[in-house]
């Protein structure tokens, strides 16, 4: 699902719902650049040197597209339901205001790479979702509150505008005291500085009698009563609160991800986290230890597919290429047969049949899918999950009464089928003992659909058609035979069987292929791959 400025507020509750109900979240990001200077990292580059280069880049370049994909296990079919979101982000407010006059760098090679992968730069600029960091939100809220409450600091009047401003004040005063004048007056202004002076003087001389509003090149000033002034102030406060809340923009999604405390998965995620934290949370700390603490505080559980691919024993020798595309090919081999499927939600069919590599939403979706299949294989090798049992619950209708009986594949191979279990045989009625064995009479063929009464009828047929012999009078029929005769009458009225089998539930008891709390998974958490350096990884929870 693509998220832009136009539908962000409408889809925000749905994004929040997807995050709250999922098991884990995969993320990916695209940037305006990666290196402020030529990349000189080697195997001898220290962790501190590499982090300093990353910190500089994350503070000067932008995250321009973010992919978020949620994954939820579906026990009905043993698969994972995915909801990928692809979000364009641009550093402005709803009104186009950029806090602190934000400037950013671009790298020609990065833009060329994005262009070759069909990145829509027009959509990024025109429809990118706005956002602010927490510090920027606080500054913006203070400035807007002062403006709404007419608490702006006074500015000095320069010599070029002194005479003009005196004339404006005189015109406003004459208009206000005239009883025949209209209820408003328009003051023409030529610059933002002149507009600021008009607001300032109206606030100084007539704070509770006049109201000034900017309207396309002029200031509209109207008379106002005390009651109207109070209503306007209340409306302005409501608008202010709504504006402050909306100015957070996409940062609200980052706050939700942080608050949910669920595992965050990424590929080579140490770079993505640096850019996301610097852009939506706050400036990165100057030291590696501070950076590790910032990550762990914001996202308590983080996993890196690249680190897992070359660390887990069950995956040794399977990945010949540790790139995202290489791991995608790896989890599609025969070694991963039996691992759970990943199915996109019906509202998220964008990546079902199209390869959109290097689009953030697609990469997040693929990253999460790779992690699921790798962890499933690890759990299969280290802690096999028992084969689920098939349960079948059958509702039996006998003589107008409902009975429920269960069948499980746990029964031995020689056990009876569900129908054999739920259709017990009834005792045949006693037949008189003949003196001489009569010749067997032909038994009529069984109908296509028959009941227990049909079976009894066929069993009684030989005795009824036998040759007459001298035998004692047969005993009166037992209650069982009477019950059988009643069933025969019922059968003649209806062709349906006496037993109605209603399948209430027929499903495999699927279990999750792995647990985030299992030792084989927890040992892979909070350790991130770290590029071309001698140390190889960064442990977020180590001292």
């Amino acid at each position: 699902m693509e998220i832009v400025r136009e539908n962000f507020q409408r889809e925000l509750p749905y994004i929040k719902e997807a995050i709250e109900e999922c098991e884990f979240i995969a993320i990916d990001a695209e940037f305006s650049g990666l290196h402020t200077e030529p990349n000189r990292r080697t195997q001898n580059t220290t962790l501190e040197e590499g982090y300093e280069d990353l910190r500089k880049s994350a503070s000067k370049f932008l995250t321009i597209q973010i992919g978020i994909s949620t994954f939820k296990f579906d026990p009905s079919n043993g698969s994972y339901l995915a909801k990928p979101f692809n979000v364009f982000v641009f550093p402005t407010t709803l009104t186009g205001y950029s806090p602190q006059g934000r400037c950013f760098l671009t790298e020609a090679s990065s833009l060329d790479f994005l262009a070759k992968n069909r990145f829509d730069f027009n959509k990024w600029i025109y429809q990118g979702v706005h956002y602010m960091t927490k510090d920027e939100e606080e500054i913006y809220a203070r400035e807007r509150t002062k403006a709404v409450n007419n608490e702006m600091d006074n500015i000095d009047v320069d010599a070029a505008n002194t005479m003009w401003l005196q004339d404006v004040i005189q015109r406003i005063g004459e208009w206000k005291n005239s009883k025949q004048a209209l209820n408003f007056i328009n003051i023409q202004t030529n610059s933002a500085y002149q507009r600021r002076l008009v607001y300032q003087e109206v606030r100084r001389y007539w704070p509770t009698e006049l109201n000034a509003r900017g309207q396309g090149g002029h200031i509209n000033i109207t008379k106002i009563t005390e009651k109207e002034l109070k209503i306007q102030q209340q409306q302005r406060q409501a608008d202010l609160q709504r504006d402050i809340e909306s100015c957070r923009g996409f940062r609200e999604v980052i706050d939700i991800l942080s608050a949910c405390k669920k595992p965050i998965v990424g590929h080579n995620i140490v770079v993505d986290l640096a850019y996301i934290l610097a852009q939506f949370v706050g400036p990165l700390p100057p030291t590696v230890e501070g950076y590790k603490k910032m990550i762990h505080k914001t996202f308590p559980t983080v996993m890196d597919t690249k680190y897992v691919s070359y660390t887990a024993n069950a995956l040794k020798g399977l990945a010949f290429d540790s790139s995202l595309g290489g791991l995608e090919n790896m989890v599609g081999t025969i070694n991963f047969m039996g691992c759970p499927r990943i199915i996109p939600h019906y509202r998220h069919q964008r990546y079902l049949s199209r390869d959109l590599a290097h689009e953030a939403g697609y990469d997040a979706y693929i990253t999460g899918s790779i992690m699921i299949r790798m962890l499933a294989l690890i759990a299969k090798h280290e802690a096999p999950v028992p084969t689920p049992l098939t349960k079948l619950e059958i509702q039996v209708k006998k003589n107008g009464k409902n009975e429920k009986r269960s069948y499980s594949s746990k029964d031995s191979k020689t056990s009876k089928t569900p129908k054999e279990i739920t259709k017990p045989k009834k005792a045949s009625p006693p037949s008189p003992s003949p003196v001489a064995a009569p010749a067997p009479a032909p038994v009529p063929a069984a109908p296509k659909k028959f009941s227990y009464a049909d079976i009894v009828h066929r069993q009684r047929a030989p005795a009824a058609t036998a040759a007459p012999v001298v035998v004692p009078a047969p005993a009166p029929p037992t209650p069982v035979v009477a019950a059988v005769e009643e069933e025969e009458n019922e059968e003649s009225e209806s062709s349906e069987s006496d037993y109605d089998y209603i399948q209430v539930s027929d499903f495999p008891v699927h279990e999750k292929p792995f647990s985030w709390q299992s030792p084989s998974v927890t040992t892979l958490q909070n350790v991130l791959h770290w590029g071309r350096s001698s140390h190889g990884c960064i442990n977020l929870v180590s001292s």
Side-chain angles (χ1 to χ4, degrees):
M1 176 183 289
E2 192 168 77
I3 303 296
V4 292
R5 190 178 308 173
E6 181 181 3
N7 67 345
F8 173 70
Q9 290 297 332
R10 182 174 67 252
E11 298 293 349
L12 181 59
Y14 177 67
I15 298 174
K16 183 178 180 181
E17 177 186 347
I19 294 173
E20 290 177 346
E21 71 180 9
C22 73
E23 184 176 331
F24 74 97
I25 304 102
I27 63 173
D28 186 78
E30 301 296 334
F31 320 114
S32 65
L34 288 173
H35 304 288
T36 55
E37 299 176 356
N39 184 19
R40 298 187 178 91
R41 285 189 301 168
T42 65
Q43 291 292 338
N44 297 323
T45 302
T46 64
L47 180 60
E48 288 73 18
E49 292 173 345
Y51 172 69
E52 181 61 23
D53 179 56
L54 177 62
R55 187 176 71 87
K56 290 180 180 179
S57 299
S59 62
K60 294 181 179 180
F61 294 109
L62 281 185
T63 302
I64 60 180
Q65 194 180 67
I66 296 181
I68 297 175
S69 186
T70 65
F71 295 85
K72 178 184 178 181
F73 183 72
D74 186 353
S76 66
N77 55 22
S79 64
Y80 278 83
L81 187 66
K83 294 182 179 180
F85 301 89
N86 185 60
V87 189
F88 288 86
V89 289
F90 193 76
T92 60
T93 64
L94 287 174
T95 59
Y97 167 75
S98 181
Q100 303 297 301
R102 184 193 291 268
C103 298
F104 59 89
L105 296 180
T106 59
E107 188 177 17
S109 59
S110 294
L111 297 187
D112 180 65
F113 172 81
L114 292 171
K116 289 178 179 177
N117 286 280
R118 306 175 298 278
F119 184 85
D120 192 337
F121 291 95
N122 285 328
K123 185 176 291 186
W124 167 51
I125 296 174
Y126 287 108
Q127 287 293 323
V129 179
H130 60 282
Y131 64 88
M132 281 188 183
T133 65
K134 293 181 179 179
D135 292 340
E136 291 169 345
E137 180 187 346
E138 292 177 0
I139 296 172
Y140 180 72
R142 284 198 301 267
E143 293 178 353
R144 292 283 290 115
T145 301
K146 290 173 65 176
V148 168
N149 296 333
N150 288 325
E151 297 173 353
M152 299 294 293
D153 298 331
N154 292 332
I155 58 176
D156 296 331
V157 183
D158 60 10
N161 288 283
T162 300
M163 296 298 296
W164 173 84
L165 185 59
Q166 290 178 355
D167 180 63
V168 167
I169 295 173
Q170 182 179 356
R171 288 175 55 200
I172 295 175
E174 292 175 354
W175 162 79
K176 177 183 177 299
N177 296 325
S178 174
K179 295 182 180 180
Q180 297 180 352
L182 297 175
N183 192 42
F184 68 91
I185 183 175
N186 292 331
I187 303 298
Q188 298 295 324
T189 57
N190 298 322
S191 63
Y193 175 70
Q194 289 186 345
R195 290 194 294 273
R196 177 76 178 272
L197 290 176
V198 173
Y199 287 130
Q200 177 176 299
E201 298 308 310
V202 170
R203 184 172 63 246
R204 176 188 298 178
Y205 291 105
W206 306 283
T208 61
E209 301 172 83
L210 301 180
N211 179 55
R213 293 184 304 171
Q215 290 186 348
H218 66 270
I219 304 296
N220 177 260
I221 301 174
T222 58
K223 298 177 182 179
I224 191 171
T225 64
E226 185 176 351
K227 182 179 180 179
E228 292 173 337
L229 179 63
K230 186 177 180 180
I231 294 174
Q232 276 194 5
Q233 289 175 341
Q234 293 175 348
Q235 183 63 41
R236 287 178 178 177
Q237 290 295 334
D239 293 342
L240 171 64
Q241 187 63 31
R242 183 170 58 253
D243 189 26
I244 292 175
E245 291 177 358
S246 65
C247 78
R248 298 170 191 156
F250 185 75
R251 202 203 78 226
E252 189 165 349
V253 177
I254 302 299
D255 292 343
I256 295 171
L257 289 175
S258 177
C260 75
K261 308 296 183 184
K262 294 181 179 179
I264 304 296
V265 171
H267 181 77
N268 201 14
I269 196 176
V270 68
V271 177
D272 300 73
L273 289 176
Y275 278 73
I276 290 173
L277 293 176
Q279 192 160 329
F280 300 102
V281 179
L284 297 181
T287 64
V288 176
E289 288 301 319
Y291 175 53
K292 290 161 57 176
K293 292 178 181 178
M294 186 177 186
I295 295 176
H296 196 56
K297 180 180 178 182
T298 309
F299 305 116
T301 304
V302 182
M303 291 193 70
D304 190 343
T305 53
K306 195 161 190 174
Y307 174 76
V308 174
S309 67
Y310 67 75
T311 303
N313 292 328
L315 303 175
K316 290 292 179 64
L318 297 181
F320 298 99
D321 180 3
S322 63
S323 66
L324 187 64
L327 296 185
E328 183 182 5
N329 293 331
M330 179 191 74
V331 299
T333 61
I334 192 172
N335 299 290
F336 292 83
M337 287 185 64
C339 291
R341 294 184 304 149
I342 294 86
I343 303 174
H345 187 269
Y346 74 92
R347 290 191 64 190
H348 303 258
Q349 300 294 305
R350 179 177 173 85
Y351 306 131
L352 187 60
S353 59
R354 288 189 294 171
D355 183 354
L356 296 174
H358 303 297
E359 182 173 287
Y362 178 84
D363 287 354
Y365 168 67
I366 294 300
T367 298
S369 302
I370 291 171
M371 182 61 80
I372 288 173
R373 297 179 70 82
M374 288 197 304
L375 294 184
L377 186 66
I378 292 171
K380 181 179 179 180
H381 279 257
E382 300 184 7
V385 179
T387 304
L389 303 178
T390 301
K391 290 185 177 180
L392 181 64
E393 186 177 306
I394 297 178
Q395 180 175 325
V396 181
K397 183 178 180 182
K398 176 184 176 184
N399 297 333
K401 296 181 180 180
N402 293 330
E403 298 180 4
K404 288 185 178 180
R405 301 177 185 178
S406 298
Y407 168 76
S408 174
S409 62
K410 186 178 180 181
D411 299 331
S412 63
K413 294 183 179 179
T414 58
S415 62
K416 299 179 180 180
T417 63
K419 289 187 177 181
E420 292 173 335
I421 294 175
T422 55
K423 284 186 69 175
K425 294 183 179 179
K426 292 186 178 180
S428 301
S431 58
S433 301
V435 175
V443 180
K448 186 176 182 180
K449 294 184 66 176
F450 55 88
S451 67
Y452 175 72
D454 296 321
I455 300 174
V456 175
H457 181 71
R458 290 198 304 274
Q459 289 177 345
R460 296 178 64 194
T465 59
V469 292
V470 180
V471 294
T478 62
V480 173
V481 177
V484 171
E485 291 177 352
E486 293 179 3
E487 292 178 0
E488 289 176 350
N489 294 334
E490 293 177 2
E491 179 65 11
S492 62
E493 296 177 0
S494 174
S495 61
E496 296 295 333
S497 172
D498 292 336
Y499 289 90
D500 294 335
Y501 292 91
I502 303 173
Q503 183 173 305
V504 177
S505 58
D506 185 5
F507 60 92
V509 185
H510 291 288
E511 297 183 14
K512 290 184 179 180
F514 60 88
S515 171
W516 293 95
Q517 288 74 39
S518 66
S520 59
V521 175
T522 55
T523 56
L524 300 172
Q525 296 174 0
N526 294 320
V527 184
L528 309 180
H529 174 78
W530 185 267
R532 299 188 301 273
S533 52
S534 56
H535 35 75
C537 61
I538 173 173
N539 193 331
L540 301 181
V541 295
S542 63
S543 56

